[in-house]
Amino acid sequence: MNSNAEKYSQLIKARAQSFGFQSCGISKAGFLEEEARPLEAWLKNNFHGEMKYMENHFDKRLDPRLLVEGSKSVISLSYNYFPDEQISTLDNFKISKYAYAEDYHEVIKEILRDMVSGLQEEIGEFAFRVFVDSAPVLERSWARKSGIGWVGKNANLITKQNGSFYFLAEIICDLELIPDHETTDHCGTCRKCIDACPTNAIVSEKLIDGSKCISYATIELKDSIPDYFKDKMDDWMFGCDVCQDVCPWNRFSAPHHQTKFRPNESLKNFKKGEWKELTQELFSEVFRKSPVKRTKFAGLKRNIEFLEKKSDKL
Ligand code: SF4
Ligand code: SF4
């Protein structure tokens, strides 16, 4: 074992904390043996729906050494996005809390790059890549392996201290570090998320049929929203937080301190009537820096129209 492994591991965790990450855990880079079969079965069942990109890079998804040559460690990090104020749902469509503000991919990548550059000044150059929900990395599996939390029945990573409203990110690097241990599962007999899911998308514990999930339908799906979702959308126009909102561990969610994650003013002020009038121009202005741009104007418009059809019937 590299004599610096202990020192570097402690340093990385201290820096992660000072850069605002909630948790930081380390795993040894290698083949994710226990994930291979479930991932294969999930794809075979077509639970990924139209997320065809999930079929790509199967090997790289399971082994980060194929992604970052010579990598020895996966550093998993979590970054809080729980807002201090929730956007009112009164006469408004709903949007997932993670999408209230600036795009987390960009915000967190920038923080990670600064953090790594600081680390390199202290310990010298090392090879690395940073990831934020952006490349074939099974980030939830790595976070679980590194002891950050357990995978709940709603398939989110959950921690006792913070619940589940946080982003996951990774630094995959060629530093030899001390791996952490997995934590225990604390879902127990609870099944609130399974019972609350408006579309029965949680088909069994920890297993989501993506093609039935509102998040998938409102963000990933390119075609029209299937009839299956009629009367089940519960006014969600982008994403869905139901299975996290009901989770008892989210009682412990505390507000983030990231100014870039403060809710977009337009989102706070818009009412259903204004959403219905949404134009491409307004969409580009409101969502210029937001994760909502993933669904594009046409996608959000489609979601709103689908919800409108339901409201018209009432
Ligand atoms: S995000 Fe919503 S639709 Fe998807 S599994 Fe959770 S509760 Fe169900
Ligand atoms: S709602 Fe209950 S079963 Fe679902 S993830 Fe949270 S603790 Fe686990």
Side-chain angles (χ1 to χ4, degrees):
M1 174 71 62
N2 182 332
S3 61
N4 284 321
E6 181 76 50
K7 193 171 89 188
Y8 291 170
S9 303
Q10 283 177 7
L11 179 72
I12 288 165
K13 288 177 184 173
R15 291 296 168 269
Q17 200 181 12
S18 61
F19 274 81
F21 289 98
Q22 246 173 355
S23 327
C24 173
I26 296 168
S27 316
K28 188 173 159 51
F31 184 68
L32 275 175
E33 185 89 50
E34 68 273 36
E35 308 292 338
R37 274 167 182 258
L39 177 60
E40 205 172 3
W42 191 74
L43 292 169
K44 249 192 199 148
N45 278 320
N46 207 28
F47 286 166
H48 58 311
E50 280 182 22
M51 295 181 277
K52 295 297 173 204
Y53 58 85
M54 290 299 296
E55 294 166 15
N56 304 332
H57 311 297
F58 187 78
D59 293 341
K60 283 186 183 167
R61 268 180 212 288
L62 293 166
D63 195 339
R65 293 169 304 182
L66 304 174
L67 268 180
V68 183
E69 215 186 304
S71 56
K72 295 198 177 105
S73 302
V74 179
I75 304 163
S76 296
L77 304 122
S78 70
Y79 200 95
N80 187 13
Y81 68 82
F82 188 74
D84 55 0
E85 55 174 327
Q86 308 232 359
I87 292 176
S88 168
T89 54
L90 212 66
D91 189 27
N92 199 358
F93 295 122
K94 298 178 191 166
I95 180 165
S96 220
K97 289 185 252 309
Y98 83 84
Y100 275 11
E102 285 194 30
D103 194 335
Y104 61 99
H105 296 96
E106 282 139 47
V107 175
I108 298 178
K109 263 197 178 162
E110 201 180 312
I111 299 172
L112 281 175
R113 288 201 193 99
D114 286 349
M115 176 177 147
V116 173
S117 113
L119 282 168
Q120 290 195 323
E121 276 171 26
E122 292 183 72
I123 63 181
E125 293 287 309
F126 56 87
F128 76 95
R129 271 181 76 186
V130 297
F131 299 95
V132 184
D133 188 24
S134 57
V137 177
L138 289 176
E139 47 183 16
R140 198 187 50 191
S141 309
W142 289 108
R144 177 185 58 76
K145 229 175 146 55
S146 75
I148 286 189
W150 74 95
V151 177
K153 291 178 191 172
N154 61 8
N156 281 281
L157 194 86
I158 303 180
T159 69
K160 271 182 160 181
Q161 300 78 15
N162 311 305
S164 63
F165 288 109
Y166 45 77
F167 299 114
L168 291 173
E170 303 75 37
I171 303 169
I172 300 181
C173 65
D174 67 352
L175 289 175
E176 199 166 310
L177 301 169
I178 309 286
D180 291 298
H181 300 290
E182 287 182 25
T183 175
T184 40
D185 184 317
H186 297 275
C187 277
T189 54
C190 174
R191 45 175 288 126
K192 282 180 192 279
C193 52
I194 300 173
D195 296 340
C197 175
T199 53
N200 296 319
I202 309 177
V203 287
S204 64
E205 293 182 9
K206 306 178 202 281
L207 188 64
I208 309 292
D209 179 349
S211 66
K212 285 184 178 169
C213 173
I214 295 171
S215 269
Y216 160 84
T218 53
I219 304 169
E220 303 289 343
L221 189 68
K222 300 291 170 252
D223 296 335
S224 46
I225 298 178
D227 283 350
Y228 178 79
F229 289 90
K230 254 189 200 153
D231 304 321
K232 296 190 179 93
M233 297 283 278
D234 196 20
D235 270 350
W236 288 98
M237 72 168 177
F238 186 90
C240 166
D241 284 342
V242 173
C243 56
Q244 294 195 81
D245 283 336
V246 298
C247 178
W249 293 105
N250 277 323
R251 286 193 309 256
F252 303 111
S253 305
H256 64 73
H257 303 290
Q258 173 55 259
T259 48
K260 292 182 177 174
F261 291 164
R262 289 230 178 97
N264 180 321
E265 286 302 315
S266 307
L267 295 186
K268 288 200 312 201
N269 300 327
F270 271 34
K271 295 288 169 224
K272 281 184 178 171
E274 280 141 321
W275 286 119
K276 288 174 195 169
E277 300 300 318
L278 187 72
T279 59
Q280 170 72 66
E281 206 181 359
L282 194 56
F283 176 88
S284 307
E285 189 188 313
V286 174
F287 298 115
R288 192 168 53 90
K289 290 172 133 191
S290 152
V292 176
K293 63 182 182 296
R294 181 176 175 85
T295 188
K296 304 204 171 73
F297 169 66
L300 194 65
K301 191 88 185 153
R302 172 205 61 187
N303 299 346
I304 294 164
E305 280 168 3
F306 190 84
L307 295 171
E308 257 188 282
K309 263 191 247 155
K310 189 204 106 184
S311 343
D312 288 350
K313 278 199 311 189
L314 297 175

